[in-house]
Structure formats: structure tokens, C-alpha cells
Amino acid sequence: MNLPTRRAFALMLIALLLLAVNLRLAVTTASVLLPLLIDEGALTPQAAIIIPALPTAMFAVGGVFTPWLSRRIGAVAAVTWAMAAVAIGMLVRFVPDSIAIVGGTVLATAGIAIVNVMLPALVRATSGSRMRSVTTAYTTVLSGSAAIGAAAAVPVAHAFGAATLSLGSWALFAVVALVAWVAAARGRDVDGALAAPVSQTRSPLPPGTWALTGFFALQALLAFVIMGWLPTIAVETGISPARAGVLLGIVIMVSIPAGIVAVSMAHTLRGVRVGVIAVSLGTAAGVLGLWLAPSAAPELWAVLMGIGMAAFPLTLALIARAGSGAAEATRVSGVAQGLGYALSTVGPLGAGAWYSAGGEWGPVLVVMIIGAALQGLIGLALASAPRAKAEAA
């Protein structure tokens, strides 16, 4: 490989990693700041219920809309406009007003939704034989940045003197990612690499797509209830807001090495089976501990839930390898994320509605344990699908 090619790949890798940095920052920073935003009067309790449910709702819309948008204006333009939306949306959240915070979150998560769908296909189209290592790298960066945001959001708010100042400050990372993406994509035929031949545009979805969608839906439901409501649940048990944010940070930090292992296991049939069992048991055990003994060992429960959160990079690795090429991977990603996130919205929204109605957290946690068990069963079915068998052969 010559030097310009290496330089082009290095620029694209940096851009992809910076895109990944922003895929959860808007979510985790908002969730840990919810109690402070309410206390400071920047967010009403009613609006606070909506915030944790917005990511899955917007991700669902993005999953359906993004493949069409990519065909219409091209992948490069779609990602460019999406990152601009993320940056603007997060900047709007500087304003200490419920409408501004909710509206900014809608705009930011809409942009994130588009990048969410495009990123696995972009990795496949631009990484070649390096796909496994790049997938591991971007899922690691995604989780690491989310953890840093969760752990640092409250201390930053205290340092700046207002929760909204912390909430909006994370827009800096979106601006940097936007600049890096535009620079890396210039002169590269990314759109051509993702274009589907006419004969494939109406072909059936690859085998295993629906099992993958079901698995994705359940992991998203569980993950976004944890990311959206774990700090609030912890505070309800008497844990300080700062420590509650650290607990969410632990969840996501543990998901990094767990995700690396999960991605490496996704390349064999046996590995997929072991992976789905491990992540499902991790979530179930962590939530069970949070339910039965929330203050006994909260950091341990966070570690177990972090293992469970590796279901997300595991699913992304399977999506990236779906079908016969990058174009089919985009289609599968759109279906799995669009329908999957739509189904998962009931999790954070239902949890918020139950909490707003004065309900105890116990029933919500029981439903999560049942969901983790169902996730494991669907994951095993996914590992037995014809596509998985063919890839393992």
C-alpha cells in the first residue's frame, strides 16, 4: 500500500472514530443531568419523562429514513448534514428552557440516528480487510466517550455553575467530528462504494434479518432504560447525583472490554452463541441486584450491566457482516435499527410514565429481567439462522 492510500485510510479512520464519539454523548449526558436540570428549573418533570425516550424514537425514524436519504443525496452528504444537526441540537441545549432542551435533543438524536445507521456500512465500505479491527475501534470509542460523558457531566455542571452549560458544552465534539468527516470524505468515492446495483435494490432481505432485528430491539430497550433512568433510580435509593453518574460511567466503561470480546466472538457460530448468553445473563444479574439490594453493591451491579451492554457492539458487528456487500449491510442496518428502535421506545418511555405516575421501580426492573431472558433466546435463534451458519462455515 502506498503512502497516499495509507494517509487516506488514516484520515477516514480518524473521522469514523470521531463520529463514533458523538453517538451516545447527547444521551448519557442528558440522563445523568436530569435531576439537576429539574432542580434548577431548566426542565419540568413532565419534559424529563420525554428525554430518555427521545433517542430510541428518533433512532427508529432514522432507521427507516436513512437508507432513502443516502440514496437520495449520497452517504457523504447524509452524514455531513446529520453531524451538523447533532452540533446545532446540542448547542441549543445551552438554553435553560424545557422547549429548548427537548427540541435540541430531538435535533441532536435525529442526526445521531442517521450516523448510527450509516456507520456499520461506512466501515465495511472503507475498511476492507481491516473491518474487524475498525469495528472494534469505533465501538470502543463510542462506549468510552459515552462513559466519560456520564461520569463528567455532573462535575462539569458544578464547575460551570449550571446543568445546561454542561449539557451544551459537549457540542464541541460534534463540531470537531463534522470537520474531520468533511476532510476525510473529500476526494473519496464513498457514495460509489455504498451504491447498490439496480438488480439488488429489490432483492429479499438476507436470512436472519428479522432475528437480528428482534435482538437489536431488546438490547436497545434494555440499554436505553439503563442509560436513561439508572442515575434517577440510584438517586431514588439515596445515592448522590455525582455517584449515580459514575455508576452509569462504570456501566459503559465495562462495556468497552466486554464489547471488544463480543465483537471478536461474532465471527464464529459458537462465539455468537456464547456472546448472546453472556450479555443476557449480565444484564439480568445486574438488574436483579439493583432490584433486590440497590445500595449493597451498586458498583457491582453496574459492572454486570456493563457486560450486558456489550450486546450493542455484538449486534453492530453482525449487521456490518450482513448480506453480500456494503449496500445490503445498509439495508439490514436500516431495518434492524428502524424497527428495532421503534419497538424499544416502549422501554424508556414506559419506565418514565410509570415513574411519573408514582410507581415503584421494582416492576420496571422485573420487566427488564424478563426482557434480558427473551433477548438471550432470540440471540440463540439468530446464531442458528442460515446466514450465521453460512458465515461460520
Side-chain angles (χ1 to χ4, degrees):
M1 184 179 294
N2 56 36
L3 184 59
T5 302
R6 286 179 177 173
R7 180 176 181 273
F9 173 75
L11 287 174
M12 180 56 69
L13 177 61
I14 291 170
L16 293 176
L17 295 181
L18 286 171
L19 292 177
V21 165
N22 291 275
L23 292 186
R24 291 296 178 270
L25 270 181
V27 178
T28 57
T29 53
S31 67
V32 300
L33 288 170
L34 282 181
L36 289 180
L37 290 167
I38 295 172
D39 289 344
E40 294 176 7
L43 195 65
T44 65
Q46 294 75 23
I49 298 171
I50 302 172
I51 296 294
L54 283 176
T56 53
M58 297 311 299
F59 291 174
V61 175
V64 174
F65 180 66
T66 299
W68 173 86
L69 181 65
S70 178
R71 292 193 300 269
R72 182 76 174 177
I73 68 174
V76 173
V79 174
T80 300
W81 284 107
M83 285 310 304
V86 175
I88 294 170
M90 295 182 74
L91 284 170
V92 168
R93 302 198 304 181
F94 271 124
V95 181
D97 178 81
S98 292
I99 294 176
I101 294 172
V102 172
T105 302
V106 169
L107 185 59
T109 52
I112 291 170
I114 294 171
V115 182
N116 255 340
V117 175
M118 294 300 303
L119 201 51
L122 288 172
V123 169
R124 182 165 182 167
T126 61
S127 301
S129 61
R130 304 179 182 93
M131 186 175 70
R132 181 187 301 191
S133 59
V134 174
T135 298
T136 300
Y138 93 76
T139 54
T140 300
V141 169
L142 185 157
S143 298
S145 61
I148 291 171
V154 172
V156 170
H158 291 325
F160 287 171
T164 52
L165 295 181
S166 174
L167 195 61
S169 65
W170 302 94
L172 173 64
F173 294 94
V175 174
V176 173
L178 174 59
V179 173
W181 166 252
V182 171
R186 182 180 298 138
R188 295 197 60 170
D189 189 19
V190 177
D191 292 335
L194 287 170
V198 175
S199 61
Q200 292 185 1
T201 55
R202 295 187 180 276
S203 61
L205 290 167
T209 297
W210 297 114
L212 186 58
T213 300
F215 186 80
F216 188 95
L218 282 166
Q219 70 80 25
L221 184 153
L222 295 167
F224 279 91
V225 171
I226 291 171
M227 285 192 290
W229 291 109
L230 176 61
T232 301
I233 295 172
V235 170
E236 289 283 315
T237 65
I239 294 174
S240 69
R243 187 182 180 192
V246 171
L247 289 179
L248 182 56
I250 291 173
V251 170
I252 303 173
M253 285 301 293
V254 170
S255 74
I256 296 175
I260 292 172
V261 174
V263 170
S264 67
M265 296 174 73
H267 297 273
T268 66
L269 181 60
R270 181 179 180 182
V272 173
R273 288 173 175 164
V274 173
V276 298
I277 292 173
V279 297
S280 301
L281 286 178
T283 299
V287 174
L288 182 64
L290 185 64
W291 175 36
L292 298 179
S295 59
E299 285 78 12
L300 174 59
W301 313 145
V303 167
L304 292 170
M305 284 185 277
I307 294 172
M309 293 279 274
F312 178 66
L314 174 62
T315 314
L316 288 184
L318 294 173
I319 290 174
R321 298 173 66 241
S324 59
E328 278 205 344
T330 302
R331 293 179 65 212
V332 173
S333 184
V335 171
Q337 297 202 46
L339 183 55
Y341 278 127
L343 294 171
S344 70
T345 301
V346 69
L349 185 60
W354 178 263
Y355 173 63
S356 178
E360 297 285 337
W361 284 110
V364 173
L365 299 178
V366 170
V367 170
M368 291 179 67
I369 294 170
I370 296 171
L374 184 58
Q375 173 188 272
L377 293 176
I378 294 177
L380 291 176
L382 173 63
S384 300
R387 177 179 61 83
K389 291 179 179 178
E391 289 176 348

